[in-house]
Amino acid sequence: MRPRNTIRKPGVLTGGLLATSLAAGLLAQTPAAADPAVTDYTLSVDAAGKGPAIDPTMYGVFFEDINNAADGGLYAELVQNRSFEFSPVDNSAYTPLTAWEQIASGGATGSVTVAGDAERLNERNRNYLRVDLAGTGGTTGRFGVVNSGYGPGMALKKGKRYDFSVWARTDNKAGTRLAAELRTADGTVLSAPLGITVRGDRWTKYTGTLVPRTNTTAGRLAVTAAGAGTLRLDMASLFPRDTYKGRANGLRKDLAEKIAALNPGFLRFPGGCLVNTGSHDAYEAPNWQRRRSYQWKDTIGPVEQRAVNANFWGYHQSYGLGYYEYFQFAEDIGAMPLPVVPALVTGCGQNQSTDDPALLKRHIQDTLDLIEFANGPVTSTWGRKRAEMGHPKPFGLTHLGIGNEENLPDEFFAHFTEFRKAIAAEYPEITLVSNSGPASSGATFDRLWDLNRKSGVDMVDEHYYNSPQWFLENNDRYDSYDRSGPKVFLGEYASLDNRFANSLSEAAFMTGLERNADVVKLASYAPLLADVNKNQWRPDMIWFDNDRSWGSTSYEVQKLFMNNTGDRVVPSRASATPSVSGPITGAVGLSTWATSAAYDDVEVTAADGTTLLKDDFTAGASGWTPAAGRGAWAVQDGAYVQTDEAAEDTLVTAGDPGWQDYDLKVKATKKSGKEGFLVAFGVRDTGNYYWWNLGGWGNTRSAVEKSVDGGKQTLMDKPTTIETGRTYDLRVQVRGRQVTLYLDGKEWGSFTDDKAAEPFRQVVTRDKADLIVKVVNAQATAARTSIDLGTSKVASTARVTTLEGAPSAVNSADDQPIRPRKSTLKGIGRTFTYTFPAHSVTFLRVKSR
């Protein structure tokens, strides 16, 4: 008979954050000063020394069409589904009439259908709207459709001009009377109608201007017709006249201005995961592939002739905002353009390599053509195309990325090598950017860096999203990088939330980026934009709805650094924070992610052999607490089973949050689903724990992740596939801060989690005649700092910019608690004392004579 479940020293998990959590103070510190509200530091500057030069392009922005950032976001078009191309392929909830509704007045009748026959506008614009008018309704009756725009509707401003256009044709030989007008959701008319007579049964573009009589954020565009016959409509559009820089087919002004205010050195586009996911085939007969990688030639030329795509993030992508507009926007904001093209190895969990030499050759030629489009003379094929679109002058492309987050390193690098050979032969001046996979460490990261280093590539793109703790612990990440090896492009990074605590940790990390400006040549926070009502990812830098936009706390940090970068690093040194650390403590847990799994024979044993917990589930599972509140857990056939394949993060826990120095043993079996299983240890509450995730990321990887206040960081990472129906023996040994993991009796890996999360970080740079002292104090105590500037040749006053606030603060549309505060500091000299507030980023600009 198996033993009954027993638990020694039972404990209950806390519901709130730990007293030492980041949200409460970022770190548990032992203050060195007598005043418990102040910690003392020193900061010395070698004013005569020379650190690495900082390129003017160091900080930039990364645009990806995630979180509805393009259509309904930066792209100023107000009509959603303007060409009736929405499809269930994009999103299961979509139809070709998404955002459109049939309307009638004055007794008029008719019918609307979306057609895809030979009468279409062009081959790439596959659908159009067929309006069959019944001819009733007298002289006042009208029949047609109304478009609801994005989100709650179209944001319209009283007295502003909105440019309407539509492609139309009619079989009525006398012509069809068409009208466009602005309305509210209840049908109230907001503008004088724009009258258009459609003549002829061939596609013609009709244009006009609409002016609303009042403000609304729930506007509609109505397009109606009178008479009889068949009317065909396509590409119904409404653009605010007041776009950024007044560009036709332009950008939403407030969003573009916020990006421009960052003063970015580069603009990386168009993504992200959508660059290299899906098919790599063209948008052409016979399949007209919708789920395909982003291919630049699809996105240029007249908008009505551009392709469409199923966006990787689960919605429709119109390509109205395309490569020409990206290049133009980069030029408008003074940023270096940095496009990224697919390498025919899918990333972002798809992990497939396309082994088609002809297709690879075509994509390589497309990339060569892209360089010609950007830089070629007007006499060249693609330079002429650029000129025809309105830009005879070359865009000045210097950097180009190949691929994004590929998790098949050898396959990716084989393709990258072919791109590199072809581009070097024709355009040796172009700096090519390779990548290192989707994470900050692990087997893929190590393999790709080894391949990049041995091949002497120009630059490697690193991506990582981690907890605030990770960013505080890894300020020195690039201190040990090879100065003669490939340079680093930190293309995507963020701390995993939008609180000021996250921004403080990012700021602390950025001081390390600047200190290593000879290695880290480019860096961009990501993602850039997010629709507050419809998004797939958090955190984000700039949030918006259909009418307003606002910068997150991270936006304010990025803006401060990007507008005060400096030309060169000045060597400096600061004292560290006295800190306390103890052993890893916590209860244990079981979890699943999009998988059904069974657990049995759980045993926790103290280092001295004492049994802390023993459970074979013979007597049920009363000793386990549903910590996450998700999943369907029940005892079945003598095992504890989670049966909901759709549920994610289904953590259940047992034991005492005070446990330390123990061994956890458990048997785990995947029953069905997409991934494997998870075993947790060091569980202190639902946001603070470690877990061993076996068969995660679509059953491709296993990793140990550490969660601090819900923000995860990866401590170990290996390729793994978990077999369905096979029982695995897992053992986790915790000793102090060292953890060793065993899989089926063999050591799988080990780590020691003992990096200091230093909350006081600084860097000093020089900007012409200014010394810029940049200090981050990411803790709950003020930092009283004795500063030695290393020279007496300084002005007696300094300009001070401070970001300060509660670590839990979040900027929103109605409240931006984190904003820069400017002041003047008087009476300084070579040495002075300044107290940096708790939870703050402070820049001191001092004139150096």
Side-chain angles (χ1 to χ4, degrees):
M1 178 181 291
R2 289 192 277 182
R4 295 170 62 86
N5 58 308
T6 59
I7 300 177
R8 181 175 180 268
K9 193 182 175 184
V12 180
L13 294 178
T14 58
L17 298 175
L18 298 175
T20 57
S21 72
L22 293 178
L26 246 70
L27 286 174
Q29 298 295 335
T30 301
D35 183 350
V38 176
T39 304
D40 285 320
Y41 295 90
T42 61
L43 194 167
S44 59
V45 181
D46 179 7
K50 282 191 174 182
I54 305 174
D55 293 346
T57 54
M58 178 171 184
Y59 292 125
V61 291
F62 160 50
F63 182 89
E64 178 175 7
D65 191 358
I66 183 175
N67 305 315
N68 295 268
D71 296 328
L74 184 61
Y75 186 48
E77 172 66 78
L78 296 178
V79 176
Q80 183 177 194
N81 191 17
R82 65 184 177 186
S83 59
F84 311 98
E85 298 290 334
F86 275 37
S87 166
V89 175
D90 309 327
N91 186 294
S92 60
Y94 286 170
T95 74
L97 282 172
T98 292
W100 292 96
E101 183 181 352
Q102 180 178 302
I103 57 173
S105 64
T109 60
S111 64
V112 296
T113 55
V114 175
D117 55 33
E119 303 302 315
R120 63 175 62 92
L121 179 60
N122 57 64
E123 279 295 288
R124 286 191 154 196
N125 202 318
R126 306 292 296 164
N127 290 342
Y128 66 88
L129 186 71
R130 174 174 173 148
V131 183
D132 289 301
L133 303 168
T136 60
T139 59
T140 60
R142 306 196 67 81
F143 178 84
V145 289
V146 62
N147 186 270
S148 58
Y150 293 89
M154 301 174 182
L156 304 172
K157 303 295 184 184
K158 178 182 178 180
K160 295 291 185 179
R161 298 167 69 85
Y162 294 84
D163 293 325
F164 168 79
S165 64
V166 68
W167 286 79
R169 58 189 290 188
T170 180
D171 65 359
N172 188 329
K173 293 182 180 180
T176 298
R177 301 190 307 277
L178 191 70
E181 61 189 12
L182 302 176
R183 298 183 176 187
T184 62
D186 64 5
T188 302
V189 176
L190 298 179
S191 68
L194 172 66
I196 295 170
T197 300
V198 178
R199 298 188 184 279
D201 201 11
R202 61 184 180 84
W203 288 105
T204 304
K205 185 177 182 180
Y206 298 89
T207 63
T209 302
L210 294 167
V211 180
R213 302 187 185 104
T214 188
N215 294 330
T216 183
T217 58
R220 304 287 190 267
L221 172 67
V223 182
T224 58
T230 296
L231 176 69
R232 292 178 171 87
L233 302 175
D234 207 347
M235 292 297 290
S237 172
L238 188 70
F239 254 92
R241 179 74 59 85
D242 191 18
T243 59
Y244 184 65
K245 300 286 187 180
R247 302 287 190 194
N249 195 50
L251 306 181
R252 179 171 150 176
K253 190 174 182 179
D254 63 322
L255 291 176
E257 286 178 342
K258 281 184 173 60
I259 298 169
L262 292 166
N263 191 29
F266 65 87
L267 171 66
R268 175 182 174 234
F269 61 88
C273 284
L274 58 84
V275 164
N276 65 337
T277 49
S279 166
H280 301 293
D281 292 334
Y283 191 58
E284 61 186 11
N287 297 322
W288 299 101
Q289 178 62 250
R290 286 283 282 264
R291 294 186 179 275
R292 67 190 191 285
S293 57
Y294 198 110
Q295 300 172 40
W296 78 272
K297 288 180 180 178
D298 290 341
T299 76
I300 64 168
V303 291
E304 70 274 7
Q305 295 177 18
R306 298 184 189 182
V308 296
N309 207 351
N311 184 287
F312 174 81
W313 297 107
Y315 52 89
H316 177 87
Q317 193 167 17
S318 75
Y319 288 152
L321 174 57
Y323 257 69
Y324 178 81
E325 289 76 24
Y326 286 126
F327 276 118
Q328 190 173 65
F329 184 43
E331 183 176 78
D332 283 344
I333 62 178
M336 176 184 79
L338 204 168
V340 182
V341 299
L344 276 68
V345 179
T346 55
C348 302
Q350 295 187 350
N351 301 334
Q352 294 181 344
S353 178
T354 299
D355 298 317
D356 182 335
L359 188 59
L360 178 62
K361 183 177 180 181
R362 193 267 286 176
H363 276 265
I364 290 172
Q365 185 58 52
D366 282 354
T367 303
L368 295 172
D369 293 343
L370 169 61
I371 299 172
E372 183 177 287
F373 177 77
N375 294 350
V378 295
T379 53
S380 66
T381 300
W382 292 99
R384 183 182 306 110
K385 185 70 173 178
R386 181 194 68 242
E388 290 170 353
M389 294 185 70
H391 202 284
K393 181 181 177 182
F395 283 116
L397 178 68
T398 60
H399 290 63
L400 178 67
I402 309 294
N404 175 78
E405 293 189 8
E406 284 78 12
N407 208 29
L408 299 174
D410 292 278
E411 292 87 340
F412 160 74
F413 206 77
H415 287 186
F416 174 84
T417 299
E418 294 303 310
F419 277 88
R420 188 183 184 196
K421 288 178 182 176
I423 294 169
E426 290 198 35
Y427 302 102
E429 70 280 7
I430 297 293
T431 297
L432 290 186
V433 183
S434 180
N435 76 81
S436 60
S440 58
S441 61
T444 297
F445 179 89
D446 292 340
R447 178 59 176 160
L448 277 170
W449 257 108
D450 183 56
L451 291 167
N452 287 313
R453 190 178 297 109
K454 287 179 178 178
S455 296
V457 303
D458 297 323
M459 189 173 286
V460 176
D461 189 4
E462 292 190 355
H463 293 181
Y464 38 81
Y465 298 92
N466 283 311
S467 68
Q469 187 88 355
W470 185 93
F471 282 97
L472 293 175
E473 291 173 351
N474 284 274
N475 177 274
D476 62 350
R477 175 181 177 88
Y478 297 106
D479 290 1
S480 59
Y481 271 48
D482 183 1
R483 268 44 203 169
S484 61
K487 302 306 180 185
V488 173
F489 171 24
L490 180 50
E492 296 184 35
Y493 73 98
S495 172
L496 288 169
D497 207 339
N498 261 150
R499 301 170 300 151
F500 190 43
N502 300 87
S503 309
L504 287 168
S505 71
E506 293 156 2
F509 188 72
M510 292 171 77
T511 65
L513 300 183
E514 291 192 5
R515 189 176 63 250
N516 290 283
D518 56 330
V519 170
V520 183
K521 307 304 287 184
L522 305 170
S524 51
Y525 178 102
L528 178 62
L529 296 174
D531 183 336
V532 71
N533 295 310
K534 195 173 183 182
N535 52 79
Q536 297 80 31
W537 182 265
R538 185 185 183 95
D540 298 281
M541 194 194 296
I542 300 171
W543 291 86
F544 64 89
D545 57 24
N546 68 340
D547 185 44
R548 300 177 294 177
S549 59
W550 58 96
S552 67
T553 62
S554 292
Y555 173 84
E556 297 298 346
V557 165
Q558 293 290 326
K559 185 177 178 182
L560 184 58
F561 273 85
M562 292 166 77
N563 282 277
N564 296 277
T565 307
D567 303 318
R568 182 174 293 276
V569 176
V570 180
S572 60
R573 183 185 299 272
S575 58
T577 306
S579 63
V580 293
S581 63
I584 293 173
T585 61
V588 299
L590 311 170
S591 189
T592 61
W593 200 289
T595 302
S596 173
Y599 298 90
D600 204 353
D601 295 337
V602 179
E603 184 175 0
V604 181
T605 308
D608 63 3
T610 305
T611 297
L612 303 177
L613 180 153
K614 198 166 188 177
D615 200 344
D616 64 1
F617 303 104
T618 303
S622 60
W624 294 83
T625 301
R630 291 179 288 273
W633 288 92
V635 175
Q636 297 179 1
D637 300 324
Y640 200 21
V641 184
Q642 198 292 112
T643 56
D644 185 350
E645 288 186 23
E648 299 177 346
D649 189 8
T650 65
L651 183 67
V652 293
T653 61
D656 191 326
W659 279 349
Q660 63 186 59
D661 294 339
Y662 58 78
D663 286 55
L664 164 63
K665 297 179 182 178
V666 60
K667 291 181 179 178
T669 307
K670 173 182 176 178
K671 296 177 73 66
S672 60
K674 297 178 181 178
E675 303 204 348
F677 34 74
L678 303 102
V679 176
F681 56 97
V683 182
R684 301 179 70 179
D685 60 37
T686 55
N688 295 273
Y689 56 84
Y690 300 79
W691 68 20
W692 188 9
N693 184 352
L694 291 111
W697 296 272
N699 203 12
T700 61
R701 296 161 51 199
S702 291
V704 178
E705 295 179 284
K706 174 184 177 181
S707 175
V708 179
D709 291 350
K712 292 189 182 71
Q713 64 190 80
T714 301
L715 303 179
M716 295 189 65
D717 184 7
K718 293 184 179 182
T720 307
T721 299
I722 295 297
E723 299 175 24
T724 301
R726 173 183 167 186
T727 297
Y728 293 82
D729 286 315
L730 312 178
R731 176 185 165 204
V732 180
Q733 182 186 78
V734 181
R735 296 292 185 272
R737 300 201 68 80
Q738 183 174 354
V739 177
T740 307
L741 304 111
Y742 298 87
L743 180 61
D744 289 335
K746 296 181 180 179
E747 183 175 326
W748 180 85
S750 65
F751 65 91
T752 302
D753 184 23
D754 61 356
K755 295 193 75 171
E758 173 59 60
F760 183 83
R761 294 292 189 183
Q762 59 79 35
V763 69
V764 180
T765 64
R766 187 181 294 279
D767 184 7
K768 298 178 181 178
D770 286 358
L771 283 176
I772 313 173
V773 180
K774 311 173 187 183
V775 174
V776 181
N777 183 29
Q779 61 185 324
T781 59
R784 185 168 53 208
T785 308
S786 177
I787 301 174
D788 184 344
L789 293 176
T791 177
S792 298
K793 296 180 179 180
V794 294
S796 60
T797 61
R799 288 176 289 158
V800 184
T801 306
T802 306
L803 297 173
E804 177 187 2
S808 60
V810 175
N811 284 356
S812 67
D814 300 311
D815 184 26
Q816 288 93 47
I818 305 303
R819 288 174 175 263
R821 186 183 74 248
K822 297 183 181 297
S823 60
T824 300
L825 178 63
K826 298 180 179 180
I828 67 172
R830 172 176 177 141
T831 61
F832 61 99
T833 298
Y834 188 83
T835 300
F836 297 95
H839 308 305
S840 69
V841 182
T842 306
F843 281 28
L844 305 175
R845 271 189 172 266
V846 186
K847 289 289 183 185
S848 178
R849 298 192 296 269

